[in-house]
Amino acid sequence: FFFFKQKTAYEISACLVGSEMCIRDSFIAVINPPQSCILAVSQTEKRLVPGLQDPNVPRVASVMTVTLSCDHRVVDGLVGSKWLQRFKHYIEHPISILV
């Protein structure tokens, strides 16, 4: 089962009891053998980002932090970064998964 713990007024974490997995704003996952990669995904949050037509006009966008931890004995960093770029593309354009 999950329990929720509030650390500050703005940070709430959900931890799975008996596990090392915790969900926060962002985190780096620890690889345990025999894992070769692990993807850490945070929750989305609203942030101000540059506008699409005019970068001087900010807009509100949903932003999610994603971290890929790789065992470099198994996965080369270049391959991991290309996989993460493709993952980003699929998250931003989900219809492209079907095409």
Side-chain angles (χ1 to χ4, degrees), residues 38-49:
I38 190 165
L39 186 67
V41 180
S42 71
Q43 62 186 5
T44 59
E45 63 181 356
K46 303 286 186 187
R47 287 189 196 166
L48 284 177
V49 296

Side-chain angles (χ1 to χ4, degrees), residues 15-81:
C15 294
L16 182 61
V17 174
S19 175
E20 296 176 16
M21 185 182 95
C22 289
I23 303 167
R24 298 191 181 151
D25 291 337
S26 66
F27 63 96
I28 298 173
V30 177
I31 302 170
N32 295 315
Q35 297 170 337
S36 57
C37 296
I38 190 165
L39 186 67
V41 180
S42 71
Q43 62 186 5
T44 59
E45 63 181 356
K46 303 286 186 187
R47 287 189 196 166
L48 284 177
V49 296
L52 297 174
Q53 280 79 24
D54 184 9
N56 295 327
V57 179
R59 65 184 176 92
V60 176
S62 294
V63 179
M64 178 175 65
T65 303
V66 178
T67 305
L68 180 67
S69 299
C70 298
D71 183 348
H72 288 276
R73 296 173 294 180
V74 180
V75 178
D76 184 46
L78 179 63
V79 174
S81 67

Side-chain angles (χ1 to χ4, degrees), residues 3-15:
F3 71 91
F4 294 90
K5 181 169 75 173
Q6 187 167 358
K7 296 190 176 244
T8 65
Y10 301 104
E11 182 183 6
I12 297 176
S13 63
C15 294

